[in-house]
Each structure stands twice: as C-alpha cells, then as structure tokens.
C-alpha cells in the first residue's frame, strides 16, 4: 500500500458515515431507524451469499469507469486492491457483516471505503443498488444454473446405466396403477431420462435470459455518465453464443424484472416434480407388496418402534421438498404481481425463495444421482451401490394382471377380425382365465379356441411377456431393439 493511499484510507470519514447511516441515512432524516425496522429491512444475513457476484460486478464497473475516464487509474487500482483484501477477509471468515449496513452491497462498499478512502466512495458513480442487485442475482444464478446442468447430466447418466443393465428385465407397465402391458425396465428408466433431458434444456434456456446485464440502468432511468455497458457485459461474460455482449435494453425493466428468477423457479419446480414422480415409484416398488427394487441402506432409515422397518426417507423427502419448491414459485410469482415500475423493495424478498430453490434442487439431484446409479469406487472405476433390481418379482407381477391381453387382441386382428370385435373376444377370454385363477397363457388351446376358432398354437408366443415386449417395435416403443437404439442416442448425447 502506498503512503498516499494509506493516508487517504486512514483519514477516510466515509466508513463511519455509512456505518451510522442506519441511524439516519443522511442529513434529510430527523430520527434514526428503530431496531425493529432495521431488522425488518435488513437482508445482509441472507444476501451476503451474493458477495462474489457483488465484487465481480463492482470490479467490472470500476474497470469501465476508469477506461471511460470517469474515475482515475489510481482510484481503479485502489478499488482492486481493496476488493482483493475484502475477498480474503470474507473467505477467511474475518469479514464483519453488519446488520446496520442493511445488505451485502452496503457492507462491502463500506469496508472498501474504510480500506481505500475516497476511491471507495467513487465506486458507486453511475450505479445504484437497484441495477447492482439485479446484476448480482443474475450473475450468481448463472453460476448455479451451470452447476445444476452438471448435476442433471450426472443423474441422466445414472439412469442410463441402470437402463442399460435392465433392457431385458420385464415389469408390468401400469395405467391407472392397474397392470396394463409388459414393459422393459430399461425403457421405464429412459422415460425419466427424457424428462431430465427436457429439464436441462429448460435450464439452458433460462440461463440465456438470465445472462443479460442490468448495470448501467442506475436507479431506474439510466445515468448521466458516459458508461460503456457493453464493456461491462463482456467483462462479466454476459455475452451470447457469438461473444456479443448482451445488455438489458430498458432501464426501468432492467432494475425491476425478476422474471428470470421466476422462470428458473418454474423450471426447478418441474424438475422437482419429475424427481417426485420417480420418488413415488421407488417408494411403491420397494414396498413389500411389490418388492421390485431395493435402494442402498444409506438412503433409508429405521423405525424407533418397529424393528423390521427400512423406510425410504430420501425419496419421501424429495417428494415432500417438491412442495416446498413449488411453494417458492408461488411466492416469487406473487411477489411481482401488483408492483408498479420500477424497483420496489418487495424485490428484496426474491432471495430466500430463490436461494432455497437452488439448494433444494442441487441437493436432491446430487442425492438421486447417487441413490439410483451408485457411488464411484475408485479401486474398480465402477459405480457401486445404486438401486438393486429384482427381475423375478417384476416378471411375477407382470404375469398377474393379464398384461398380454392386448397382444391376444392384436393376434386376432392380424387374423382379420376388426379390433373392436377382437377386444370383446379377449374380454371373454380374460374372464375365463380369471375364473380359473390362471394367466391367459395358461389356458389350454382348446379353451382359447372356444373364444375364436382361428386361434392356433402360435398364440402362445404372443401371450408370453417376452413375445409381447419384442412385438412393440415401433420407434419409441419398449421392444429391446428400440431401447438399445435409445440408449445409443442418449450415450452419444451425454458423452
Ligand atoms: N437489498 C436490496 C434488494 O435486495 C438492494 C436494492 C436496494 N435498493 C433500494 N433502493 N433500496 O433488493
């Protein structure tokens, strides 16, 4: 630190001014804020989480102010030096966050001014907390969306791995939770891969609209200084696919828009809904009545009273937390309703729901990727401890509900019967099988022929689970050939 800087910092009165601002903002105020109001309006204990984005935004702004000749190169250097120290202090836990300084922005600015004097006071030239906070939230969320993208990919890879190992495993496919038709368990897993693929696409789309620069809008109307907003956008990586800077085009909209956050929470809600549907299935499948799968013990808990219990707490909690995230979406969208242009303090309420949505989604995706696909064993390079499948239980269940009845109808249609007539004929056959408490495939040929004379010996092939599965060989169908094709498509996409 140079002597001149040290002197200016040491003699700076401004930190004290900011420090006591909560008592009275400026000469305009005749009485200090009450303690209750201070607590009510302060956001620092949750928005301090934005500190890295706040410093990055300030540094980009200061660099541009210097490049435009609005502040001196020395002031710019002092700001950089001060911010480097603040970064260290925050990282080491030495930084003293003050409730009196209301939010992350004022806390950092006050400390900067304490450290570097007037240069710190010049940082806010051509800027307002209104465009500052909008920028911070966007920068922060952009980073989180990238992490969520990675986690969504991991979860998809887990599901694809399970799918690959279970292409030939047959379980009853359900509609109305009634046995419908046999499906491949691999096919079933890939249904979720499709959902999470769309979730990842939605996130990428939200990222595009999030990664736009509000700074330079100042309080609401723009500013009188000759700012270079595109330069700031470039510095902050707020650029499109071609590297062109992307800047909010209307200052009023820039400081008041939170729809990027609402959109994100909507995309997160949908993603959680998909997790919740998977949770519901895992819970059902691992109940004693189904016994289709097991999840590793570390994702379950016991009961304090019933010694035999192993409860699927993780999927249950994920299902529960889905309600919480959907609730945040409702909170955020309602927050915007009725706000006149431009910035209103209501917007400070965007942070907790947004932060909690990000935390909940990230934790959930991480835990599901591991619960489904297992954990990497560094010794073998293999993932271990994912869900365990019980193919016998699945096939047994598929044999119970006349899952191949449609196949018998299709068989008759191929013999020339109109589908509606075939449907009716098979209904009689199912009724007979139910009376004998057996499957369609267990009815003797003579009995089957009593429903229709054209039924021949080859009918048994189509009445078998495997025959039924193999026959559904249309694009997107459950036949193993189709499932393998889809697996290859996903593998390429996720590589
Ligand atoms: N903490 C505030 C927020 O989160 C920062 C913006 C404050 N602006 C203002 N004009 N009071 O929205």
């Amino acid at each position: 630190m140079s002597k001149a800087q040290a002197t200016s910092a040491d003699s700076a009165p401004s930190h004290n001014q900011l420090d006591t601002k909560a008592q009275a903002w400026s000469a305009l105020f005749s009485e200090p804020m009450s303690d209750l109001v201070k607590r009510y309006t302060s956001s620092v204990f949750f928005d301090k989480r934005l500190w890295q984005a706040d410093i990055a935004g300030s540094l980009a702004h200061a660099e541009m102010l210097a490049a435009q000749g609005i502040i001196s190169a020395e002031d710019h250097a002092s700001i950089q030096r001060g911010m480097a120290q603040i970064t260290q202090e925050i990282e080491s836990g030495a930084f003293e966050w003050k409730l009196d300084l209301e939010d992350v922005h004022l806390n950092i600015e006050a400390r900067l001014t304490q450290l570097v004097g007037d240069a710190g006071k010049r940082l806010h030239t051509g800027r307002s907390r209104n465009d500052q906070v909008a920028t911070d939230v966007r920068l922060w969320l952009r980073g989180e969306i990238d992490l969520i993208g990675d986690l969504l990919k991991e979860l998809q890879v887990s599901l694809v791995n399970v799918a690959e190992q279970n292409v030939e495993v047959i379980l009853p496919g359900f509609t109305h939770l009634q046995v419908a038709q046999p499906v491949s368990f691999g096919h079933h897993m890939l249904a979720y891969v499709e959902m999470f693929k769309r979730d990842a696409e939605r996130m990428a789309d939200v990222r595009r609209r999030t990664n736009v620069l509000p700074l330079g809008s100042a309080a609401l109307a723009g500013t009188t200084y000759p700012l270079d907003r595109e330069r700031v956008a470039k510095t902050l990586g707020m650029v499109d696919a071609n590297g062109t800077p992307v800047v909010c085009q209307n200052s009023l909209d820039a400081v008041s828009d939170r729809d990027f956050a609402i959109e994100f929470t909507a995309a997160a809600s949908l993603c959680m809904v998909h997790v919740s549907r998977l949770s519901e299935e895992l819970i059902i499948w691992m109940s004693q009545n189904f016994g289709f799968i097991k999840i590793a013990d570390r994702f379950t808990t016991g009961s304090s009273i019933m010694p035999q219990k192993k409860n699927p707490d993780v999927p249950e909690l994920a299902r529960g937390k889905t309600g919480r995230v959907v609730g945040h979406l409702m909170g955020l969208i309602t927050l915007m309703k009725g706000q006149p242009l431009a910035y209103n303090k209501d917007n400070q309420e965007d942070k907790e729901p947004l932060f909690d949505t990000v935390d909940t989604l990230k934790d959930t995706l991480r835990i599901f990727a591991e619960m489904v696909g297992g954990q990497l064993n560094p010794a073998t390079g293999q993932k271990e401890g994912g869900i365990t499948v019980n193919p016998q239980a699945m096939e047994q269940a598929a044999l119970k509900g006349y899952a191949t009845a449609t196949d018998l109808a299709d068989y008759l249609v191929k013999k020339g019967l109109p589908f509606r007539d075939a449907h009716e004929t098979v209904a009689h056959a199912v009724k007979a099988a139910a009376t004998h408490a057996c499957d369609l495939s267990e009815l003797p040929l003579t009995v089957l022929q009593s429903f229709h004379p054209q039924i021949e010996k080859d009918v048994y092939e189509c009445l078998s689970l495997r025959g039924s599965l193999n026959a559904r060989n249309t694009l997107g169908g459950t036949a193993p050939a189709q499932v393998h094709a889809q697996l290859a498509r996903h593998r390429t996409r996720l590589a």
Side-chain angles (χ1 to χ4, degrees):
M1 194 192 289
S2 79
K3 251 198 186 137
Q5 281 165 335
T7 319
S8 104
D10 295 341
S11 61
S14 45
H15 180 251
N16 292 341
Q17 275 172 6
L18 263 178
D19 221 4
T20 52
K21 116 192 138 43
Q23 269 99 53
W25 274 91
S26 68
L28 188 64
F29 291 76
S30 56
E31 62 172 354
M33 211 184 241
S34 81
D35 281 346
L36 180 59
V37 174
K38 253 191 246 175
R39 254 198 296 123
Y40 195 72
T41 58
S42 159
S43 55
V44 66
F45 289 108
F46 53 85
D47 70 15
K48 65 181 176 191
R49 171 170 186 156
L50 298 172
W51 71 269
Q52 272 168 316
D54 194 66
I55 290 177
S58 288
L59 287 174
H61 180 67
E63 193 272 338
M64 179 274 296
L65 290 179
Q68 295 294 96
I70 301 167
I71 63 169
S72 68
E74 297 77 62
D75 280 344
H76 178 215
S78 302
I79 290 169
Q80 284 180 308
R81 180 171 48 78
M83 287 303 195
Q85 171 154 353
I86 291 171
T87 300
Q88 251 179 17
E89 289 177 359
I90 297 176
E91 277 173 350
S92 71
F95 191 90
E96 199 190 327
W97 297 100
K98 293 183 179 142
L99 180 95
D100 272 6
L101 288 173
E102 197 176 299
D103 58 24
V104 59
H105 324 292
L106 293 178
N107 267 269
I108 290 178
E109 192 188 331
R111 179 65 182 143
L112 180 71
T113 300
Q114 191 180 48
L115 289 169
V116 304
D118 283 354
K121 289 196 261 173
R122 293 205 173 94
L123 172 62
H124 214 50
T125 311
R127 187 176 76 167
S128 152
R129 274 190 297 157
N130 297 352
D131 57 347
Q132 186 178 358
V133 70
T135 303
D136 289 5
V137 177
R138 283 170 182 265
L139 281 177
W140 173 83
L141 186 59
R142 180 184 72 183
E144 296 297 330
I145 290 174
D146 289 342
L147 297 175
I148 288 165
D150 294 343
L151 291 169
L152 274 168
K153 192 169 170 178
E154 247 176 77
L155 177 55
Q156 288 180 77
V157 170
S158 288
L159 288 161
V160 165
N161 289 344
V162 174
E164 193 154 59
Q165 289 150 19
N166 293 283
V167 176
E168 302 285 344
V169 171
I170 298 178
L171 81 162
F174 296 96
T175 60
H176 316 271
L177 203 57
Q178 305 284 316
V179 170
Q181 290 171 355
V183 293
S184 142
F185 188 60
H187 191 55
H188 199 117
M189 290 289 99
L190 291 187
Y192 285 100
V193 174
E194 295 291 340
M195 294 179 227
F196 293 122
K197 170 178 176 281
R198 289 195 297 276
D199 288 327
E201 287 165 2
R202 260 186 289 274
M203 285 294 170
D205 204 41
V206 174
R207 187 194 196 278
R208 212 162 41 76
R209 278 182 293 279
T210 299
N211 199 27
V212 183
L213 183 79
L215 264 187
S217 304
L220 74 163
T223 176
T224 56
Y225 302 96
L227 303 187
D228 182 350
R229 298 187 60 208
E230 296 192 333
R231 184 184 181 106
V232 177
K234 248 196 170 129
T235 309
L236 292 173
M238 290 178 144
V239 292
D240 66 15
N242 305 316
T244 310
V246 201
V247 166
C248 298
Q249 298 290 313
N250 181 296
S251 60
L252 296 165
D253 177 49
V255 295
S256 57
D257 160 49
R258 294 292 181 273
D259 46 80
F260 68 92
I262 297 173
E263 254 195 272
F264 166 79
T265 312
S269 296
L270 260 177
C271 184
M272 286 296 293
V273 164
H274 294 152
V275 171
S276 188
R277 296 186 70 188
L278 176 57
S279 299
E280 174 71 1
E281 299 214 279
L282 295 175
I283 294 163
I284 291 176
W285 289 341
M286 65 184 283
S287 82
Q288 284 76 6
N289 297 337
F290 278 70
F292 287 4
I293 62 152
K294 277 197 180 120
I295 59 177
D297 279 358
R298 63 186 186 287
F299 299 102
T300 62
T301 60
S303 155
S304 53
I305 173 170
M306 296 165 282
Q308 85 282 15
K309 292 292 286 276
K310 238 185 230 178
N311 296 326
D313 287 32
V314 168
E316 286 173 300
L317 272 173
R319 196 174 54 185
K321 284 175 193 286
T322 302
R324 170 172 168 159
V325 170
V326 172
H328 292 326
L329 171 61
M330 293 306 117
L332 278 179
I333 202 160
T334 311
L335 180 69
M336 282 317 287
K337 180 185 168 300
Q339 277 196 51
L341 290 181
Y343 176 85
N344 301 283
K345 190 77 166 192
D346 312 40
N347 285 336
Q348 182 164 290
E349 287 290 307
D350 65 355
K351 291 175 196 61
E352 287 162 294
L354 187 61
F355 294 168
D356 189 65
T357 297
V358 164
D359 292 342
T360 307
L361 181 61
K362 276 166 59 188
D363 284 349
T364 305
L365 291 175
R366 197 170 289 139
I367 212 163
F368 265 66
E370 196 192 313
M371 187 172 68
V372 171
Q375 233 177 348
L376 192 73
N377 177 345
T380 60
Q382 296 289 312
K383 293 223 170 170
E384 288 167 13
I387 60 172
T388 320
V389 174
N390 183 343
Q392 290 75 28
M394 289 187 184
E395 288 209 10
Q396 259 342 94
L399 285 171
K400 267 183 208 154
Y402 306 104
T404 58
T406 319
D407 297 87
L408 181 55
D410 289 343
Y411 174 90
L412 291 170
V413 167
K414 282 166 198 158
K415 299 264 176 183
L417 249 74
F419 182 77
R420 283 292 160 222
D421 294 342
H423 184 278
E424 187 56 21
T425 303
V426 176
H428 288 293
V430 168
K431 203 170 174 188
T435 318
H436 292 94
C438 71
D439 184 48
L440 282 174
S441 61
E442 290 164 334
L443 289 176
L445 188 58
T446 47
V447 176
L448 283 169
Q449 282 168 337
S450 71
F451 299 110
H452 203 278
Q454 268 176 289
I455 294 178
E456 289 167 74
K457 231 169 101 195
D458 64 351
V459 74
Y460 290 105
E461 167 58 16
C462 88
L463 289 181
S464 76
L465 293 180
R466 209 149 294 278
S468 164
L469 198 75
N470 291 338
R472 288 189 165 64
N473 201 14
T474 40
L475 175 70
T478 192
Q482 294 298 329
V483 180
H484 280 299
Q486 295 296 338
L487 276 167
R489 184 180 130 250
H490 289 303
R491 284 276 184 226
T492 314
R493 184 175 66 74
L494 293 165

